[in-house]
Amino acid sequence: GIRDIGVTGVQTCALPIYGGAGAPRAADEAVQMAEKSGDQSLVAPALLASAEVHLEKADGRTAISLAARAQQLFAERGKPESEWRAWLILGRAYAAGGDRAKAKESAVQASAALEKLARGWQQADFVSYTSRPDIQEYRKQLAQISRSRVSAP
């Protein structure tokens, strides 16, 4: 419906304008619209988009909260393609906040969800997916988190 278009449009517009001061507000508006729509298939993607915007604007605490909610919803709905990205955003947010242990734990979960995705798709489809520039960048970020050292407490 028209609400779906509105939510998707706000999400789409908020992501490319990380530099804009209004991006977090637009992303949060997409989450509110998704929640009000009653269509649960819109909520988790809106949460993930908002988490990424907040992370890019150095609001790690909000990014953690949003990404954790998105990850849980994607897991409940059996959406490993989105779940692994939610784990990645969560790991990046923890890393940005200095919590290397939680960042690494999130990276392990992201890798596991990505492996689940690979098992569930035809090899050619997975190769095509992982050759996309955005997914290559996400995988590079995942590798960086995975390689980071966790200090002993």
Side-chain angles (χ1 to χ4, degrees):
I2 194 73
R3 258 192 211 146
D4 297 353
I5 294 167
V7 171
T8 304
V10 172
Q11 287 172 242
T12 302
C13 291
L15 279 173
I17 56 170
Y18 290 146
R25 188 178 73 247
D28 292 343
E29 184 179 317
V31 171
Q32 291 170 358
M33 290 173 69
E35 289 172 339
K36 286 180 185 175
S37 77
D39 185 346
Q40 292 302 305
S41 70
L42 296 175
V43 176
L47 287 166
L48 185 57
S50 188
E52 194 163 6
V53 168
H54 281 279
L55 178 60
E56 296 299 328
K57 298 303 273 179
D59 182 1
R61 180 172 289 160
T62 301
I64 288 168
S65 173
L66 293 167
R69 286 179 57 203
Q71 180 280 317
Q72 182 177 1
L73 291 172
F74 288 133
E76 288 171 1
R77 286 168 177 70
K79 304 285 186 187
E81 190 275 328
S82 298
E83 185 184 359
W84 88 266
R85 289 183 298 115
W87 277 117
L88 171 63
I89 299 304
L90 192 56
R92 288 180 53 213
Y94 280 129
D99 192 336
R100 289 187 183 141
K102 285 188 179 179
K104 196 142 181 120
E105 178 183 319
S106 296
V108 167
Q109 294 295 333
S111 294
L114 188 58
E115 289 172 18
K116 182 178 181 180
L117 181 65
R119 288 191 306 272
W121 282 8
Q122 295 292 322
Q123 184 178 1
D125 293 337
F126 187 74
V127 168
S128 176
Y129 171 75
T130 56
S131 67
R132 288 177 17 194
D134 60 328
I135 301 304
Q136 288 178 350
E137 178 60 29
Y138 284 141
R139 291 182 78 186
K140 187 169 100 178
Q141 294 168 1
L142 179 59
Q144 288 171 339
I145 295 169
S146 297
R147 285 193 306 265
S148 68
R149 291 206 168 96
V150 178
S151 308

